[in-house]
């Protein structure tokens, strides 16, 4: 996955720890939003929602409430805030608490999918997350009566192991040579993607992913499997919470 989207260099893909940075406004569309030359705002995707934060410029604060993806990454300003003109130097800042919670949640879901695939052979059929809460759907026809408790116990054991989480970029052919690199029942990776971003939890899980993650499983916290639901034949939904 490229670290460039349109005119914007993706700092969030370079380093998920970046929370503040300097940038220049390269374009403004009244309908779609603000385009920066450099941005750490994760634009959303793969179930992870977009970041929020602010742009500071000339003594003015413009709140960023989301992102629209198109030919460029358009940062969505709060409807009550002014737009910085093209050419303006700005200071970008993420909502640190929200981003960190989303990183913990996303990494926790990778531990969850790794455990369910390892222990039950099930692939993911869908999912969604908010800060510290999420749902994940699996293609799993039969589950034992203690499935929910077994999954929670195994996930938290892996979290406590403090496994390192690393990100790398591989050519598509090399990436697809890794066994089970796609953990979804349907391969959602666009065919024109030549470089694949890989997230690896050492000794547990390796999969293609474009989101942001913490550096080790110990930083996730603890996962509670709140509920298991049956969503039709062979499909199970787990609702989880990170504490």
């Amino acid at each position: 996955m490229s670290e460039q989207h349109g005119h914007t260099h993706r700092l969030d893909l370079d380093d998920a720890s970046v929370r503040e940075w300097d940038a220049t406004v390269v374009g403004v569309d009244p309908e779609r939003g603000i385009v920066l030359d450099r941005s750490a705002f994760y634009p959303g995707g793969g179930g992870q929602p977009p970041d929020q934060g602010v742009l500071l410029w000339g003594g003015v604060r413009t709140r960023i409430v989301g992102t629209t993806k198109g030919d460029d990454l358009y940062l969505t300003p709060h409807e009550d805030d002014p737009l910085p003109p093209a050419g303006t130097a700005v200071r970008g800042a993420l909502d640190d608490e929200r981003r960190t919670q989303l990183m913990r949640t996303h990494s926790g879901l990778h531990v969850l999918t790794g455990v369910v695939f390892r222990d039950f052979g099930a692939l993911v059929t869908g999912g969604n997350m908010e800060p510290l809460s999420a749902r994940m759907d699996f293609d799993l026809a039969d589950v034992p009566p203690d499935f929910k408790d077994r999954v929670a116990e195994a996930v938290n054991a892996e979290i406590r192991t403090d496994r390192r989480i690393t990100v790398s970029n591989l050519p598509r052919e090399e990436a697809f040579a890794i066994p089970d690199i796609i953990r979804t029942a349907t391969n959602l990776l666009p065919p024109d993607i030549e470089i694949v971003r890989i997230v690896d939890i050492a000794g547990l899980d390796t999969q293609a992913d474009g989101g942001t993650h913490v550096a080790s499983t110990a930083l996730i916290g603890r996962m509670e499997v709140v509920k298991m639901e049956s969503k039709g034949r062979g499909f199970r939904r787990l609702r989880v919470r990170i504490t």
Side-chain angles (χ1 to χ4, degrees):
M1 296 179 182
S2 173
E3 293 175 349
Q4 190 80 20
H5 187 126
H7 291 89
T8 304
H9 182 76
R10 295 278 305 276
L11 299 174
D12 53 305
L13 297 182
D14 285 341
D15 182 355
S17 70
V18 173
R19 296 294 186 271
E20 296 187 19
W21 69 100
D22 293 315
T24 300
V25 177
V26 297
V28 179
D29 185 310
E31 299 298 322
R32 291 187 286 183
I34 303 161
V35 179
L36 302 181
D37 64 339
R38 305 165 74 242
S39 174
F41 285 97
Y42 181 70
Q48 181 176 336
D51 286 322
Q52 298 174 2
V54 297
L55 299 179
L56 305 175
W57 52 282
V60 177
R61 181 186 72 165
T62 298
R63 290 167 289 178
I64 301 300
V65 298
T67 306
T68 299
K69 289 186 283 189
D71 54 336
D72 264 312
L73 288 182
Y74 296 92
L75 303 181
T76 307
H78 190 282
E79 61 181 7
D80 295 331
D81 291 355
L83 296 175
T88 302
V90 299
R91 180 75 174 169
L94 301 183
D95 179 333
D96 174 61
E97 182 178 20
R98 174 184 167 85
R99 161 63 87 79
T100 300
Q101 290 179 350
L102 285 168
M103 289 168 61
R104 290 171 57 200
T105 306
H106 200 162
S107 296
L109 291 179
H110 277 232
V111 175
L112 175 65
T113 58
V115 163
V116 173
F117 183 76
R118 180 194 67 192
D119 296 350
F120 300 93
L123 294 172
V124 174
T125 58
N128 193 44
M129 75 187 83
E130 295 297 332
L132 302 184
S133 67
R135 66 167 174 82
M136 190 65 70
D137 300 340
F138 295 95
D139 183 0
L140 191 62
D142 300 307
V143 295
D146 58 350
F147 174 74
K148 183 167 77 76
D149 293 336
R150 282 175 59 184
V151 168
E153 182 178 356
V155 165
N156 285 300
E158 296 298 341
I159 289 174
R160 289 192 300 270
T161 300
D162 194 14
R163 296 185 182 276
R164 187 181 180 198
I165 302 175
T166 56
V167 176
S168 60
N169 294 290
L170 294 177
R172 186 184 184 94
E173 184 176 344
E174 188 175 338
F176 275 83
I178 301 173
D180 305 309
I181 195 64
I182 302 296
R183 289 296 174 82
T184 52
T186 303
N187 183 357
L188 302 177
L189 196 67
D192 60 339
I193 296 292
E194 296 179 0
I195 301 297
V196 180
R197 189 168 182 265
I198 304 296
V199 174
D200 179 73
I201 302 178
L204 176 67
D205 183 74
T206 303
Q207 58 179 295
D209 181 79
T212 58
H213 292 269
V214 293
S216 74
T217 59
L219 297 174
I220 294 168
R222 178 175 176 79
M223 178 178 289
E224 178 185 354
V225 181
V226 179
K227 187 178 182 181
M228 185 187 77
E229 303 169 359
S230 178
K231 305 303 290 186
R233 185 173 181 178
F235 293 98
R236 313 292 173 175
R237 172 169 293 174
L238 293 179
R239 296 190 181 275
V240 302
R241 180 164 53 230
I242 303 295
T243 59

